[in-house]
Amino acid sequence: MKILFDILLFLHIVGAAMIVGIWIGNMKKPTVHPRQRDGAFLQLITGVAMMGVLPLLPDSDPNYVKLGIKLAVGIAVAVLAVIGARKYKKNEDISTGLAHSVGGLALLNVAIATLWN
């Protein structure tokens, strides 16, 4: 189970990098790229899978409050990324607030994961 958890964690980090990396790369002209939507879905899928595997690991004591907050933020990121990706594909204007919400909330999720002990 540890190997499965580590693979899921790796993919989870890749999803975060897809969202935050594109956000930082487009900071001068904020937008939401469809790859950010893909990263949000990757984070949701791997995050839920890790929540399922975590209780099976030896010496694990899952903090379900933290995981629930991360799930809620992740769902918000995914919804906003879907809205932005649809606008991107239709060549519609994407508000700066929407673009920064996707990247900023994803960054908040990384901060929750790393700073909340």
Side-chain angles (χ1 to χ4, degrees), residues 68-109:
I69 291 169
K70 282 185 54 57
L71 178 62
V73 173
I75 290 170
V77 170
V79 168
L80 294 171
V82 166
I83 292 168
R86 286 183 179 170
K87 288 184 174 204
Y88 182 90
K89 285 192 175 187
K90 293 179 182 178
N91 279 334
E92 295 177 5
D93 287 338
I94 297 170
S95 71
T96 302
L98 177 62
H100 288 314
S101 295
V102 171
L105 286 173
L107 193 60
L108 172 67
N109 234 359

Side-chain angles (χ1 to χ4, degrees), residues 29-78:
K29 188 175 183 278
T31 189
V32 179
H33 195 274
R35 296 301 74 80
Q36 287 177 292
R37 178 204 55 215
D38 298 344
F41 286 143
L42 181 61
Q43 282 222 292
L44 277 178
I45 292 166
T46 57
V48 169
M50 284 191 302
M51 286 174 67
V53 171
L54 195 58
L56 304 175
L57 296 175
D59 300 326
S60 73
D61 185 24
N63 182 343
Y64 290 110
V65 173
K66 173 183 171 179
L67 295 175
I69 291 169
K70 282 185 54 57
L71 178 62
V73 173
I75 290 170
V77 170

Side-chain angles (χ1 to χ4, degrees), residues 7-23:
I7 291 169
L8 290 170
L9 180 60
F10 169 75
L11 293 172
H12 195 69
I13 292 169
V14 168
M18 290 170 69
I19 301 168
V20 176
I22 293 170
W23 174 56

Side-chain angles (χ1 to χ4, degrees), residues 12 66 70 108-117:
H12 195 69
K66 173 183 171 179
K70 282 185 54 57
L108 172 67
N109 234 359
V110 171
I112 292 169
T114 56
L115 300 176
W116 185 342
N117 292 328

